[in-house]
């Protein structure tokens, strides 16, 4: 097994994005995003082998906000992401999914923010990579767990004034 940084002579990635924000009344907000890209990685001599890998990849994101209360302001979010199989050099990887949720509340004239979020609920956001090049047959599963729970509490004291950003010369 050759496990060395590959000698890539040509790399080409071309893509396009599209986004659709949708507001339904005062309580529901949706954001749909799509991304498509064409990838090419090629070399004529890498340890005596040559390759010209070309691949189409699709990415879909959806984020949904539901306002549960206006006073105090409490917002629930659920988001999902799908990434189709892709590649990085000679490494190819399987598709991934990410499902995440969050809830955030603003209290005391929006001075106190309390939020809790859970990311990668299904533990499918880290791809399994593989190589099928020449005589190489290699699978890499990182067994890395991306799921995490985050709790955030922020308080803005009275008299605090947010600074204005100055332009850089």
């Amino acid at each position: 097994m050759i496990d060395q940084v590959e000698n890539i002579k040509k790399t080409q990635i071309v893509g396009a994005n599209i986004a659709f924000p949708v507001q339904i009344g005062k309580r529901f907000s949706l954001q749909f995003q799509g991304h498509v890209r064409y990838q090419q990685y090629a070399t004529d001599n890498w340890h005596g082998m040559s390759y010209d890998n070309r691949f189409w990849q699709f990415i879909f994101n959806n984020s949904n906000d539901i306002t549960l209360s206006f006073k105090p302001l409490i917002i629930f979010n659920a988001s999902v992401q799908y990434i189709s199989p892709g590649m990085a050099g000679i490494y190819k990887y399987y598709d991934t999914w990410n499902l995440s949720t969050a809830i955030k509340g603003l209290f005391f004239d929006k001075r106190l923010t309390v939020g809790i979020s859970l990311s990668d609920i299904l533990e499918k956001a880290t791809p399994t990579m593989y190589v099928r090049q020449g005589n190489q047959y290699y699978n890499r599963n990182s067994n890395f767990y991306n799921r995490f729970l985050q709790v955030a509490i922020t308080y803005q004291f009275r008299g605090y004034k947010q600074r204005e950003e100055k332009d850089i010369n």
Side-chain angles (χ1 to χ4, degrees), residues 108-125:
F108 303 116
D109 295 327
K110 298 184 180 180
R111 289 192 320 262
L112 175 66
T113 303
V114 178
I116 186 167
S117 63
L118 181 60
S119 181
D120 195 13
I121 296 170
L122 304 175
E123 290 187 337
K124 300 287 186 189

Side-chain angles (χ1 to χ4, degrees), residues 40-67:
Q40 179 185 13
Y41 300 93
T43 192
D44 54 359
N45 186 7
W46 181 61
H47 300 286
M49 295 182 282
S50 65
Y51 61 85
D52 187 0
N53 295 332
R54 299 165 187 244
F55 220 89
W56 283 95
Q57 186 176 37
F58 304 94
I59 301 171
F60 171 77
N61 293 300
N62 174 249
S63 181
N64 306 296
D65 287 335
I66 301 171
T67 303

Side-chain angles (χ1 to χ4, degrees), residues 73-75 103-107 112-116 151-154:
L73 183 60
I74 299 173
I75 299 171
I103 190 164
K104 179 171 79 169
L106 281 73
F107 307 96
L112 175 66
T113 303
V114 178
I116 186 167
V151 177
I153 300 172
T154 306

Side-chain angles (χ1 to χ4, degrees), residues 108-169:
F108 303 116
D109 295 327
K110 298 184 180 180
R111 289 192 320 262
L112 175 66
T113 303
V114 178
I116 186 167
S117 63
L118 181 60
S119 181
D120 195 13
I121 296 170
L122 304 175
E123 290 187 337
K124 300 287 186 189
T126 302
T128 300
M129 299 178 80
Y130 62 95
V131 174
R132 306 292 184 266
Q133 182 68 38
N135 293 329
Q136 298 184 65
Y137 188 94
Y138 174 63
N139 290 336
R140 180 186 293 177
N141 185 354
S142 65
N143 291 326
F144 183 77
Y145 301 105
N146 283 334
R147 182 187 300 162
F148 68 89
L149 176 69
Q150 179 180 5
V151 177
I153 300 172
T154 306
Y155 185 80
Q156 189 176 38
F157 292 94
R158 290 186 189 261
Y160 171 79
K161 293 181 183 177
Q162 189 157 346
R163 293 182 181 178
E164 292 183 26
E165 293 183 17
K166 296 180 181 178
D167 290 336
I168 299 174
N169 297 349

